[in-house]
Amino acid sequence: MRMSDQQGEDMQDQALVPTTHFGYQEVPETEKEHLVKGVFSNVAGKYDLMNDLMSLGVHRLWKRFTVDLARPRPGQRVLDLAGGTGDLAAAIYPRIKPNGSIVVSDINPEMLAVGENRLADKGIIAGVEFVEANAEELPFPDREFDLVTLAFGIRNMTHPERALKEIHRVLKTGGRALILEFSHPRWPGLQSIYDMYSFKLLPRIGELVAKDRDSYQYLVESIRRFPDQETFKMMMEEAGLERVEVFNLSGGIVALHRGFRMD
């Protein structure tokens, strides 16, 4: 049977469509943002509870280390990207008072709403702004911020390299970026234990607690697809950040990358 000209053209068009990964699936680049939004819309209400359950509460220590290393100071202007439910913003806020300010930015309105309510409940209102935005195309002027933080969000972006360039663009000279993300275990024997925990237990917890196994299956897969520590360090350097350092936490299950804008 001969393939029709139309079928051939359709197959050729499909081959030309850029794709990216969504967990272990390959999807058109244009669809990933929508799919990721769907995941976090589904889990927004239980996101903090699930983080506590999945990390046994250790995520709070990882974030505390991030804030300590960031060294926010009074009067500084801070951008917390993929700020979600406001954990980092709440920890940074007391250190930038009385005249500092922080922008919490996220692509997902449901996550932003949870974060805004949480911070308001803590009395954190003045000097805080919530902005729905794509980190790959930030709506902020050049050299606007002293500090940019990003925790557990960059692996979900369609083009992480674009987000890194945007982070560099909005930083002031001497400003610093701190990016906390799941990474690749370094301790001998830890990878097999981590794999068993991730693929067997975490989706099951998602199913029981958040009533959403698929979203947590995706989150596990997205972690495995993320570059290792050295590769991501090079990505930050290629985006223009300098003096990039890597801090492995919990045996490399999580890594904190810190870089500076020097120009």
Side-chain angles (χ1 to χ4, degrees), residues 132-153:
E132 183 180 341
N134 186 334
E136 297 175 23
E137 299 178 76
L138 292 173
F140 307 115
D142 295 354
R143 303 178 187 270
E144 174 79 2
F145 298 97
D146 300 285
L147 168 65
V148 176
T149 57
L150 172 53
F152 304 117

Side-chain angles (χ1 to χ4, degrees), residues 46-60 62 182 197 201-211 216:
K46 295 287 182 67
Y47 186 73
D48 291 318
L49 172 61
M50 287 299 298
N51 280 345
D52 281 331
L53 291 173
M54 290 191 300
S55 71
L56 304 178
V58 179
H59 76 101
R60 299 180 184 276
W62 297 331
F182 289 106
Y197 175 72
L201 187 58
L202 292 191
R204 181 61 175 160
I205 294 174
E207 182 178 16
L208 292 173
V209 178
K211 311 302 180 187
Y216 283 90

Side-chain angles (χ1 to χ4, degrees), residues 1 5 9 11 16 23 32 34 42 52 89 91 97 101-102 112-113 127-128 135 145 163 189 200-201 233 245:
M1 180 183 297
D5 290 343
E9 290 175 7
M11 290 181 64
L16 293 174
K32 181 168 180 177
H34 172 73
N42 290 341
D52 281 331
K97 294 193 307 182
S101 63
I102 184 165
L112 276 177
V128 181
F145 298 97
K200 299 293 185 183
L201 187 58
K233 178 177 183 286
E245 300 174 272

Side-chain angles (χ1 to χ4, degrees), residues 19-69:
T19 62
T20 188
H21 59 83
F22 177 73
Y24 287 163
Q25 302 176 53
E26 287 295 316
V27 299
E29 284 188 355
T30 53
E31 291 184 13
K32 181 168 180 177
E33 181 179 322
H34 172 73
L35 293 168
V36 170
K37 277 186 175 181
V39 167
F40 286 94
S41 293
N42 290 341
V43 304
K46 295 287 182 67
Y47 186 73
D48 291 318
L49 172 61
M50 287 299 298
N51 280 345
D52 281 331
L53 291 173
M54 290 191 300
S55 71
L56 304 178
V58 179
H59 76 101
R60 299 180 184 276
L61 300 179
W62 297 331
K63 291 171 182 173
R64 185 183 305 166
F65 179 80
T66 299
V67 175
D68 287 343
L69 198 66

Side-chain angles (χ1 to χ4, degrees), residues 1-251:
M1 180 183 297
R2 287 186 59 192
M3 181 185 298
S4 71
D5 290 343
Q6 184 62 51
Q7 287 175 315
E9 290 175 7
D10 290 345
M11 290 181 64
Q12 189 176 34
D13 289 343
Q14 291 173 7
L16 293 174
V17 174
T19 62
T20 188
H21 59 83
F22 177 73
Y24 287 163
Q25 302 176 53
E26 287 295 316
V27 299
E29 284 188 355
T30 53
E31 291 184 13
K32 181 168 180 177
E33 181 179 322
H34 172 73
L35 293 168
V36 170
K37 277 186 175 181
V39 167
F40 286 94
S41 293
N42 290 341
V43 304
K46 295 287 182 67
Y47 186 73
D48 291 318
L49 172 61
M50 287 299 298
N51 280 345
D52 281 331
L53 291 173
M54 290 191 300
S55 71
L56 304 178
V58 179
H59 76 101
R60 299 180 184 276
L61 300 179
W62 297 331
K63 291 171 182 173
R64 185 183 305 166
F65 179 80
T66 299
V67 175
D68 287 343
L69 198 66
R71 299 187 180 95
R73 297 188 293 277
Q76 291 192 323
R77 183 155 170 77
V78 179
L79 172 62
D80 182 27
L81 284 174
T85 55
D87 278 357
L88 279 183
I92 290 169
Y93 184 79
R95 305 195 189 196
I96 61 173
K97 294 193 307 182
N99 55 345
S101 63
I102 184 165
V103 177
V104 181
S105 176
D106 201 292
I107 200 170
N108 187 282
E110 287 85 1
M111 293 288 283
L112 276 177
V114 172
E116 189 167 7
N117 289 334
R118 279 190 63 196
L119 266 61
D121 287 344
K122 296 174 183 287
I124 300 175
I125 298 173
V128 181
E129 182 182 359
F130 291 82
V131 176
E132 183 180 341
N134 186 334
E136 297 175 23
E137 299 178 76
L138 292 173
F140 307 115
D142 295 354
R143 303 178 187 270
E144 174 79 2
F145 298 97
D146 300 285
L147 168 65
V148 176
T149 57
L150 172 53
F152 304 117
I154 198 163
R155 75 179 189 280
N156 298 308
M157 296 175 188
T158 306
H159 303 100
E161 68 283 359
R162 293 182 189 174
L164 290 173
K165 288 180 180 178
E166 283 290 272
I167 288 171
H168 177 268
R169 180 183 67 79
V170 301
L171 276 173
K172 299 176 182 178
T173 298
R176 56 223 177 274
L178 285 95
I179 302 176
L180 183 68
E181 188 54 87
F182 289 106
S183 197
H184 295 246
R186 294 303 198 218
W187 291 350
L190 182 57
Q191 184 69 60
S192 59
I193 298 170
Y194 184 45
D195 283 344
M196 183 174 65
Y197 175 72
S198 299
F199 288 102
K200 299 293 185 183
L201 187 58
L202 292 191
R204 181 61 175 160
I205 294 174
E207 182 178 16
L208 292 173
V209 178
K211 311 302 180 187
D212 187 352
R213 182 185 183 91
D214 290 346
S215 291
Y216 283 90
Q217 182 70 36
Y218 157 73
L219 292 174
V220 171
E221 293 174 1
S222 70
I223 291 168
R224 295 304 187 274
R225 293 295 298 264
F226 193 69
D228 65 18
Q229 288 90 325
E230 286 304 311
T231 303
F232 189 65
K233 178 177 183 286
M234 287 189 291
M235 290 172 64
M236 290 180 66
E237 291 168 341
E238 288 168 0
L241 294 162
E242 300 181 46
R243 292 172 53 190
V244 179
E245 300 174 272
V246 183
F247 303 85
N248 285 310
L249 307 177
S250 299

